Amino acid sequence: MKNFSSQDIQELSKYYRANLINSVTGYKPANLIGTKSADGKTNLAVFSSVVHLGANPALIGMIVRPASVPRHTYENILETGFYTINHIHEAFVEQAHFTSANFDKTDSEFDAVKLTAEYISDFHAPFVQESKVKIGMKFLQEMPIELNGTIMIIGQIEYLILPGEIIAEDGNVDLSAVKDVCVSGLESYSQVGKLAKFEYARVRNLPEFN
């Protein structure tokens, strides 16, 4: 067994430390965030920090890295107030990964990796046509995290688009049915598979564990 102290972690190389700490927290959702600037330039970026914040109202958060360098996704969200969250599937995982390259703001990652920008109704931000689970978001709040300079973006769901057949009667979504992927570390992607579904946990229905 390896045993890392906080001092040991600080002394690791930057790349090794980033991979270690990013992957040790477990599998994370793999999403593409779609935005468009006020002057019409589209942007697409892979994010693994999307998290459910609440269902009523329907809020989703995500962490944006420090704005010490240009962050096109963050800039576009603040500028326009809208963005999309698009699930990544096995069919285009490599294309999705390479949206993380350092493109100029004038270059569209949609074009660079050959994914299709799709617009729904009058919603400003582009969706990924190839994604089967897409969420249109309205920006509500940003919360700076002073400890490391990152920023939590909080938004509310304006559109939710997904195949009806993957939604169970109780509202649960079977993401394995659309071949979702998840991410660990900075560059490793894994398949999503359904393991089990249990009843709502109450003290009175606690099983007899051995």
Side-chain angles (χ1 to χ4, degrees):
M1 297 287 286
K2 293 282 289 184
N3 188 333
F4 294 93
S5 68
S6 59
Q7 183 63 36
D8 294 332
I9 292 170
Q10 283 303 113
E11 292 174 355
L12 296 171
S13 70
K14 179 180 178 181
Y15 184 69
Y16 185 98
R17 181 174 63 244
N19 273 315
L20 179 67
I21 302 305
N22 268 277
S23 58
V24 77
T25 54
Y27 294 110
K28 300 180 285 292
N31 292 286
L32 285 168
I33 306 302
T35 59
K36 184 172 70 171
S37 63
D39 61 359
K41 296 181 177 66
T42 59
N43 178 268
L44 191 64
V46 62
F47 273 70
S48 63
S49 60
V50 173
V51 60
H52 160 86
L53 294 180
N56 186 25
L59 301 180
I60 296 177
M62 69 178 188
I63 300 296
V64 176
R65 289 158 62 188
S68 53
V69 298
R71 301 289 182 198
H72 304 152
T73 296
Y74 173 62
E75 293 165 8
N76 289 346
I77 290 172
L78 294 187
E79 192 174 277
T80 68
F82 296 95
Y83 56 104
T84 68
I85 301 172
N86 306 268
H87 285 214
I88 299 172
H89 311 308
E90 292 179 23
F92 58 90
V93 63
E94 185 175 22
Q95 293 157 277
H97 173 71
F98 277 93
T99 63
S100 60
N102 189 25
F103 292 97
D104 290 334
K105 190 168 185 177
T106 54
D107 296 329
S108 172
E109 290 84 355
F110 281 99
D111 296 336
V113 304
K114 300 297 188 290
L115 289 173
T116 311
E118 177 183 40
Y119 292 92
I120 295 173
S121 188
D122 58 351
F123 196 76
H124 177 81
F127 295 83
V128 176
Q129 186 179 79
E130 290 80 0
S131 179
K132 293 182 173 65
V133 181
K134 358 185 189 225
I135 310 168
M137 300 295 300
K138 179 181 179 180
F139 169 71
L140 295 182
Q141 183 181 1
E142 63 173 320
M143 298 181 64
I145 300 172
E146 296 179 1
L147 290 170
N148 63 358
T150 57
I151 303 162
M152 173 171 274
I153 297 292
I154 300 174
Q156 180 169 311
I157 296 177
E158 296 286 298
Y159 285 98
L160 178 59
I161 305 141
L162 70 169
E165 61 268 21
I166 72 170
I167 308 173
E169 289 184 3
D170 62 2
N172 272 291
V173 178
D174 182 5
L175 297 177
S176 63
V178 290
K179 298 188 182 299
D180 254 26
V181 300
C182 54
V183 62
S184 64
L186 300 175
E187 300 149 346
S188 297
Y189 298 83
S190 298
Q191 296 172 320
V192 171
K194 187 174 181 178
L195 175 62
K197 185 180 186 303
F198 302 104
E199 60 183 318
Y200 189 84
R202 296 181 175 86
V203 173
R204 66 174 179 268
N205 63 11
L206 192 71
E208 291 290 336
F209 296 110
N210 295 323

